[in-house]
Amino acid sequence: MEKYDIAIIGGGLLGTSISYWISNLYDAKVAVIEKESEVGMHTSSRNTGVVHSPFYLNPDKKGKLARAAFLSHEMWKTFAQTKGLPWNMVGTMEIALDENQHKILEKYMDWGPKNGMSEKDADLLNSNEVTQREPNIRCHSAIHCKTDAVVDYGEFTRKLKEESQRNGTKFLLNKKLESIEDLDGSTTLAFQNKEKISSKIIVNCAGGYSLDIAKKFGLANDYSSLHFRGEYWIASEQYSNLVKTNVYSVPKYPDFPFLDPHWIIRSDGKSEVGPNAVPVSSPETYSGYVGDIETFISKLTEVVTGSTRKLLLNADFMNLVAKEWLSSLSKTVMIERIQEFMPKVKPEFFSERGTAGIRTPLITPDGNFLPDVLELSGLNSYHILNYNSPGATGAPAYSAYVVKSMQEKGLLQYKTRKTDSIWDFETIV
Ligand SMILES: Cc1cc2nc3c(=O)[nH]c(=O)nc-3n(C[C@H](O)[C@H](O)[C@H](O)COP(=O)(O)OP(=O)(O)OC[C@H]3O[C@@H](n4cnc5c(N)ncnc54)[C@H](O)[C@@H]3O)c2cc1C
């Protein structure tokens, strides 16, 4: 049985970034365990592709994700330039439709600098100023954030894997973790194909499955999770220039972990609308439906723990679920949500579905969505749960923070080394 010092479960952007830092800093035997044939096949490739500036993140509720997003912006820019990958600074218009939403934009103008942004990065515009820049947007007011970029995070993950491999990390692909066994200071991991490895330290970065894996280690037993599929529609070429920047709207339900669908520019220049947030039964239900709402809810109540049941009694949440469900079944309903701020858009402008992705937010024991990322440590293990948007943006800085926390907990007692790095660890942490 092959023995490792550190085994990272999950070859998404997070697991790959952590492997990069550890292999860069330590003379240790590192493996990344991934059930697919390549890294970044799930959420890390199935997202909106925006490098977010954290003006819209409440520093008191989402401080870790916000700080990581701020620090990572320059890191990704350098990475894209060094590797010759697309980096398109299209900017974002975050629009308010009425005076109440405008007040939220005013709050955002404070949050941006609190999260580290320069005041010059975002302007608060009135309706006329918005229309002068983007004639096809109708709104009460908007923040124009100039620094948001669009990229291909799947490509970022694969390129970062190459860097990590250069440092000596082994990527064990097509290995689905099934069970674990603790043996005197080292953990045996058994895969679906019956192979086994052992490792002194385990890092759990399994995305939508990270809660299930934490529970195998006896952690987070009071938490549950739900899965929401985000679907997109691609604009036909002749309509892709209707608006040249991303357009997001102030969320109507800020306590829920998803935004209303937006207009987005992709790194290849195409435009799409999405994502909605359709409840589905697993972190990888990318297509198909689970029946009507009633059947789905009763299915959910069968499988969920007490904490999720409390959420299902929340009327706002259930209204939202119904709305999201309809926007999945009907393209027209999805486009009507975009027409609120882009009245010229019509359902017939969109004939092809984009790539869907799934968010898996954690539900706390008292039945609320957990707003920020959750780190848990076991005896010889470290678990990252609820690593949701803007997690792709924040991955390089957040993973450095994880490595720093593991150092402080004494989980990385290996000989250090200094290999050339794209980014400087000490400056970031
Ligand atoms: C619709 C949508 C839009 C988004 N848009 C943005 C955006 O514009 N900007 C942004 O910054 N963020 C965005 N995000 C969030 C971002 O994509 C995620 O935070 C990030 O990709 C999470 O990376 P990860 O490595 O944790 O998860 P993943 O990429 O899902 O990786 C987890 C990996 O673990 C593997 N795995 C799971 N279980 C096992 C097992 N048992 N054995 C072996 N391997 C296993 C999986 O195969 C997978 O490859 C979006 C997310 C969604 C869903």
Side-chain angles (χ1 to χ4, degrees):
M1 184 166 52
E2 193 76 29
K3 290 187 166 67
Y4 291 89
D5 294 316
I6 296 141
I8 299 165
I9 305 162
L13 206 36
L14 182 60
T16 306
S17 305
I18 292 175
S19 82
Y20 171 73
W21 282 122
I22 296 180
S23 60
N24 188 259
L25 296 167
Y26 291 99
D27 201 359
K29 207 169 160 194
V30 182
V32 173
I33 291 141
E34 171 53 54
K35 64 181 165 56
E36 307 297 343
S37 57
E38 182 50 288
V39 295
M41 302 274 275
H42 290 286
T43 321
S44 297
S45 289
R46 294 167 165 275
N47 52 48
T48 309
V50 179
V51 181
H52 287 286
S53 307
F55 65 90
Y56 65 100
L57 296 172
N58 182 340
D60 299 326
K61 288 189 171 175
K62 299 192 175 198
K64 276 187 220 165
L65 284 167
R67 190 79 197 140
F70 170 70
L71 290 170
S72 296
H73 195 280
E74 277 306 298
M75 296 170 79
W76 277 141
K77 191 173 172 189
T78 311
F79 187 74
Q81 281 165 352
T82 316
K83 301 285 163 201
L85 298 173
W87 173 272
N88 193 357
M89 211 119 111
V90 296
T92 293
M93 286 281 186
E94 176 91 18
I95 59 111
L97 291 172
D98 55 36
E99 188 53 33
N100 282 340
Q101 292 193 346
H102 178 78
K103 291 203 173 82
I104 295 173
L105 291 186
E106 286 176 337
K107 243 196 273 179
Y108 287 1
M109 292 301 285
D110 281 341
W111 288 353
K114 280 190 184 152
N115 289 327
M117 286 174 64
S118 154
E119 285 182 2
K120 285 184 280 179
D121 293 344
D123 297 326
L124 186 55
L125 308 177
N126 65 30
S127 156
N128 284 340
E129 289 166 325
V130 174
T131 323
Q132 270 164 23
R133 293 176 197 208
E134 291 291 351
N136 287 321
I137 301 181
R138 290 284 171 279
C139 61
H140 172 284
S141 51
I143 287 179
H144 180 219
C145 173
K146 293 165 261 185
T147 43
D148 277 10
V150 287
V151 300
D152 178 346
Y153 283 119
E155 199 50 34
F156 277 23
T157 317
R158 292 185 285 278
K159 281 282 185 268
L160 200 55
K161 170 192 158 201
E162 288 171 12
E163 292 296 317
S164 187
Q165 279 175 318
R166 247 191 287 281
N167 293 338
T169 303
K170 294 272 174 297
F171 282 79
L172 308 181
L173 303 174
N174 298 309
K175 303 275 185 284
K176 181 174 182 186
L177 176 74
E178 285 243 303
S179 61
I180 58 153
E181 205 181 308
D182 248 330
L183 286 175
D184 309 328
S186 144
T187 306
T188 301
L189 303 177
F191 305 131
Q192 199 175 36
N193 65 1
K194 309 291 177 219
E195 285 176 32
K196 290 182 179 180
I197 62 160
S198 80
S199 180
K200 290 182 200 149
I201 305 291
I202 309 291
V203 187
N204 168 12
C205 303
Y209 288 104
S210 54
L211 177 63
D212 299 349
I213 290 178
K215 287 186 178 178
K216 287 187 201 289
F217 285 78
L219 298 167
N221 285 322
D222 292 347
Y223 284 82
S224 51
S225 58
L226 287 174
H227 316 292
F228 295 92
R229 183 170 72 218
E231 301 159 346
Y232 301 85
W233 282 93
I234 305 172
S236 307
E237 212 181 323
Q238 66 266 40
Y239 305 113
S240 65
N241 279 331
L242 272 179
V243 171
K244 294 182 192 61
T245 179
N246 296 324
V247 190
Y248 282 61
S249 54
V250 168
K252 295 196 180 79
Y253 299 97
D255 290 333
F256 299 142
F258 27 77
L259 312 171
D260 282 316
H262 4 283
W263 170 268
I264 34 165
I265 314 294
R266 291 287 184 183
S267 62
D268 61 3
K270 288 186 179 156
S271 297
E272 295 186 21
V273 296
N276 51 0
V278 188
V280 289
S281 53
S282 88
E284 292 172 13
T285 307
Y286 294 122
S287 61
Y289 297 100
V290 279
D292 60 10
I293 293 174
E294 233 173 285
T295 323
F296 179 71
I297 305 283
S298 69
K299 188 171 168 8
L300 269 183
T301 33
E302 263 167 48
V303 294
V304 297
T305 65
S307 72
T308 317
R309 228 172 248 135
K310 285 181 204 154
L311 187 62
L312 297 180
L313 296 174
N314 178 324
D316 275 353
F317 178 68
M318 292 317 291
N319 279 336
L320 192 68
V321 164
K323 192 166 109 184
E324 298 291 342
W325 193 274
L326 285 173
S327 75
S328 172
L329 292 172
S330 155
K331 177 171 69 173
T332 306
V333 173
M334 169 95 119
I335 302 307
E336 275 168 5
R337 296 171 76 179
I338 303 292
Q339 282 168 337
E340 287 185 32
F341 52 87
M342 284 178 64
K344 271 206 175 155
V345 165
K346 293 198 172 60
E348 54 271 29
F349 294 1
F350 305 84
S351 51
E352 203 190 325
R353 278 188 186 267
T355 306
I358 295 177
R359 303 175 174 99
T360 298
L362 243 61
I363 319 291
T364 61
D366 55 354
N368 293 309
F369 284 108
L370 187 71
D372 214 342
V373 56
L374 177 68
E375 297 113 17
L376 297 171
S377 39
L379 195 57
N380 295 313
S381 63
Y382 198 80
H383 305 255
I384 297 136
L385 279 62
N386 211 40
Y387 192 67
N388 293 320
S389 193
T393 302
Y398 179 72
S399 55
Y401 161 82
V402 167
V403 171
K404 179 83 182 160
S405 309
M406 289 176 67
Q407 287 174 343
E408 286 166 1
K409 288 181 191 315
L411 292 171
L412 294 173
Q413 310 265 5
Y414 303 98
K415 214 171 115 203
T416 54
R417 66 175 185 181
K418 192 78 201 124
T419 323
D420 281 348
S421 175
I422 329 159
W423 308 303
D424 183 50
F425 183 76
E426 290 307 327
T427 314
I428 294 144
V429 296

